[in-house]
């Protein structure tokens, strides 16, 4: 009997089985630690059953949106609030990965729905503010591209979602924040005072040894800038929102960030009017995460366990360092 002829196919089959098992194990480990924002970690829905506070409790439906951010996994670690996709058919909920932040862009608004990013010590350096406002020429063909003149004379600031100050580690990082699809028409006092104070607060937390996850967005129609009330600017190409909101999650520096968010984690939510008469103290506009979800229809912090969401999203930040 020729044992070589028998042993070779048997050995080959064993090797194939081992290789397949190893690949499956590696993929499972990668997903378990939550470092990639895949469809399996994202979901958006609520049940009809109210909790004891009269607010909706979330459940985990069988849903797998075709969302997979390739290069900016940490920027969208907390989830995809609106189930945005990179399909041009989804023009008002279009997912854009800018590497240094991720956004859902609305073609009809000419501005983002929301922007998500992470701030760590590695993001804060000595790069000066570049001020190179410019169109995002990577938008799909035929879509309107706002430029540096689009806000001129409007009475509204070019309000960053992901701020320049959060991306000072390199020229490329800072430059990315000046793409015009990172901007919204923002009342000057809101942008330069209220919003700036919260942005500075977040960076201070990072300098104290924390890392911060941020989701910012806007909703509604019509705001009041220094020239008065307006619903659109730039010949109607850009819509002015009525409200601007932000959710901030602060955790100590470390690894496996999703697993370290718990009932004791500092979570801040604010919802501000896009009005030039706003007060500079962002603490005056504190709300709950669930309040913002009810106003927008989004599912924020969707990568967290549902039971945890149902607890932390109902709490209002009470202050503290």
């Amino acid at each position: 009997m020729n044992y070589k002829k028998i042993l070779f196919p048997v050995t080959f089959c064993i090797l194939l089985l081992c290789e397949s098992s190893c690949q499956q194990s590696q993929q499972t480990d990668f997903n378990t630690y939550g470092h990639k924002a895949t469809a399996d970690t994202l979901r958006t829905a609520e049940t009809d059953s109210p909790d004891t506070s009269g607010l909706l409790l979330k459940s985990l439906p069988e849903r797998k949106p075709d969302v997979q951010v390739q290069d900016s996994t940490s920027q969208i670690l907390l989830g995809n609030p609106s189930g945005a996709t990179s399909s041009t058919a989804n023009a008002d909920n279009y997912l854009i990965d800018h590497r240094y932040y991720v956004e859902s862009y609305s073609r009809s608004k000419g501005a983002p729905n929301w922007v998500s990013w992470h701030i760590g010590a590695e993001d804060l350096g000595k790069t000066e503010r570049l001020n190179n406002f410019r169109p995002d020429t990577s938008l799909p063909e035929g879509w309107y591209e706002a430029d540096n003149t689009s806000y001129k004379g409007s009475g509204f600031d070019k309000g960053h979602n992901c701020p320049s100050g959060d991306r000072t580690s390199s020229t490329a990082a800072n430059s990315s924040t000046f793409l015009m699809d990172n901007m919204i028409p923002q009342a000057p006092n809101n942008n330069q005072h209220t919003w700036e104070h919260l942005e500075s607060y977040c960076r201070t937390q990072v300098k104290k040894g924390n890392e911060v996850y941020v989701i910012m967005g806007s909703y509604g129609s019509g705001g009041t800038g220094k020239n008065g009330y307006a619903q659109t600017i730039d010949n109607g190409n850009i819509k002015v929102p009525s409200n601007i909101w932000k959710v901030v999650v602060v955790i100590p520096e470390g690894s496996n960030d999703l697993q370290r968010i718990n009932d004791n984690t500092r979570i801040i939510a604010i919802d501000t009017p896009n009005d030039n008469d706003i007060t500079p103290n962002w603490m005056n506009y504190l709300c709950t995460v669930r309040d913002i979800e009810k106003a927008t229809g989004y599912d924020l912090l969707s990568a967290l366990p549902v039971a945890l969401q149902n607890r932390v999203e109902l709490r209002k930040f009470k202050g503290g360092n």
Side-chain angles (χ1 to χ4, degrees), residues 95-226:
L95 189 72
I96 305 178
D97 178 359
H98 284 298
R99 181 179 179 186
Y100 301 102
Y101 55 92
V102 172
E103 71 174 89
S104 163
Y105 180 78
S106 170
R107 182 184 184 185
S108 66
K109 293 197 301 186
N113 297 308
W114 54 261
V115 178
S116 179
W117 69 99
H118 169 263
I119 318 168
E122 67 279 4
D123 297 306
L124 305 181
K126 297 182 179 180
T127 301
E128 296 292 332
R129 179 184 171 101
L130 294 176
N131 284 319
N132 57 337
F133 294 96
R134 64 199 186 281
D136 181 0
T137 57
S138 69
L139 287 174
E141 185 177 356
W143 289 23
Y144 179 77
E145 298 173 4
D147 61 30
N148 193 31
T149 66
S150 296
Y151 286 55
K152 186 176 181 180
S154 69
F156 291 92
D157 282 1
K158 296 187 284 286
H160 283 73
N161 280 257
C162 179
S164 165
D166 288 0
R167 293 291 180 260
T168 56
S169 61
S170 68
T171 298
N174 192 259
S175 180
S176 73
T177 68
F178 289 94
L179 289 168
M180 290 300 296
D181 57 6
N182 183 40
M183 307 297 157
I184 56 170
Q186 190 168 6
N189 286 336
N190 186 312
N191 180 43
Q192 298 169 29
H193 302 291
T194 318
W195 222 244
E196 193 281 328
H197 293 166
L198 180 54
E199 292 171 355
S200 294
Y201 173 89
C202 292
R203 290 191 288 271
T204 297
Q205 303 315 303
V206 173
K207 293 172 184 177
K208 289 181 176 181
N210 298 296
E211 51 188 302
V212 177
Y213 286 90
V214 187
I215 311 169
M216 172 183 166
S218 55
Y219 67 90
S221 177
T224 304
K226 66 180 181 182

Side-chain angles (χ1 to χ4, degrees), residues 74 77-78 117-118 211-215 247-249 251 257:
S74 68
L77 188 69
L78 296 181
W117 69 99
H118 169 263
E211 51 188 302
V212 177
Y213 286 90
V214 187
I215 311 169
V247 172
V248 175
V249 177
I251 55 175
D257 291 354

